[in-house]
Every structure is written in C-alpha cells, then in structure tokens.
C-alpha cells in the first residue's frame, strides 16, 4: 500500500472511501473535473455518464503529473442532486472502479445549487501524493 489508511479502532469500515489517509511525498492538486471531453463538450446529460467521464478526466490529469489513481488521498464530489447520487450508487460503483480501480481515498460529497458549467451534474476534485 502506497499510503496509510486511517481507521479508528472500533469504527465500522466505510464503504467506497477511507476515513483518513496519511501520505508523504509530492502533492498533486487536480482541479474540479466535470463530465465533458477533452474538447470541453458534453457527450451526455446522464449523471452516471458524466461521473464516468469526470473520473477518467481525473485519471488523465493524474497521469500528466506522473501519478495514478493509487496516489489519491482526497476526493471531493460536488453534485447538483444528492438524491440522484444516492439512488444510483449501484450504477456508479462499477463506473468508479473502471476509472479508479479499487483506490478509495478520503472522500466528501456535497450537494450544490449549481455548477459553473450549466449542463454539469457533477464536479470532482482530487488531491494525490506521489511517495518520496
């Protein structure tokens, strides 16, 4: 394991994320990625499709910095509809694992009134650490 996952004694393990992560090395900050392609065009208005593309965009930015999903320590999701997020978790899981593998950083998800790009339904930012 590249980073140390922080799991307080006696706590139930989280599903799909970590309670905390300890890491040392070069830090990469990935700005919020949305579900559009490299030409900044939306291919779909479907929430799951947008999540998949946003996650693949994150993986590309990480690669550009010499990192991969295994280096993620923090992920923040901004969604415009928390009910859709919650009701579609079963669909989201495989899409997440396809883009990120079984790498589950500390994660936060918040509902926002809107995102800057009108058609965006999700925006995800990541912090990653490449070990020394």
């Amino acid at each position: 394991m590249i980073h140390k996952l922080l799991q307080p004694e006696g706590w139930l393990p989280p599903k799909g994320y970590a309670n905390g992560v300890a890491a040392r090395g070069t830090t990469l900050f990935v700005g919020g990625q949305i579900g559009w392609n490299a030409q900044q065009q939306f291919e779909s208005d479907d929430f799951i499709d947008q999540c998949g593309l946003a996650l693949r965009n994150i993986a590309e930015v990480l690669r550009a910095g010499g990192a991969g999903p295994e280096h993620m320590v923090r992920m923040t999701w901004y969604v415009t509809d928390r009910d859709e997020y919650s009701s579609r978790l079963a669909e989201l899981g495989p899409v997440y694992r396809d883009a990120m593998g079984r790498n589950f950083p500390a994660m936060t998800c918040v509902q926002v009134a809107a995102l800057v790009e009108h058609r965006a339904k999700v925006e995800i930012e990541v912090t990653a650490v490449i070990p020394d």
Side-chain angles (χ1 to χ4, degrees):
M1 180 172 290
I2 294 174
H3 307 303
K4 180 182 178 185
L5 299 181
L6 306 176
Q7 177 65 21
E9 189 174 325
W11 285 28
L12 289 175
K15 294 178 182 170
Y17 65 96
N19 285 309
V21 180
R24 174 176 290 157
T26 302
T27 306
L28 287 77
F29 300 93
V30 179
Q33 298 297 306
I34 60 176
W36 62 12
N37 62 29
Q39 289 70 46
Q40 299 180 351
Q41 297 172 338
F42 287 93
E43 298 173 0
S44 174
D45 288 319
D46 178 71
F47 177 74
I48 298 297
D49 291 343
Q50 286 195 14
C51 287
L53 196 45
L55 291 165
R56 289 190 301 275
N57 290 342
I58 289 166
E60 287 294 317
V61 175
L62 289 172
R63 275 191 283 283
E70 68 275 14
H71 297 107
M72 296 184 303
V73 295
R74 179 101 180 126
M75 178 180 269
T76 305
W77 294 59
Y78 303 93
V79 298
T80 58
D81 186 341
R82 71 172 185 183
D83 293 334
E84 183 168 27
Y85 172 85
S86 296
S87 69
R88 298 189 71 187
L89 283 174
E91 295 171 77
L92 184 55
V95 171
Y96 178 92
R97 288 187 299 277
D98 183 57
M100 297 294 148
R102 293 198 163 277
N103 301 293
F104 304 107
M107 188 171 85
T108 300
C109 182
V110 294
Q111 177 176 302
V112 295
L115 296 165
V116 172
E117 291 299 327
H118 181 67
R119 287 180 64 185
K121 295 185 175 204
V122 61
E123 185 166 341
I124 308 167
E125 63 183 14
V126 162
T127 303
V129 177
I130 303 171
D132 292 332

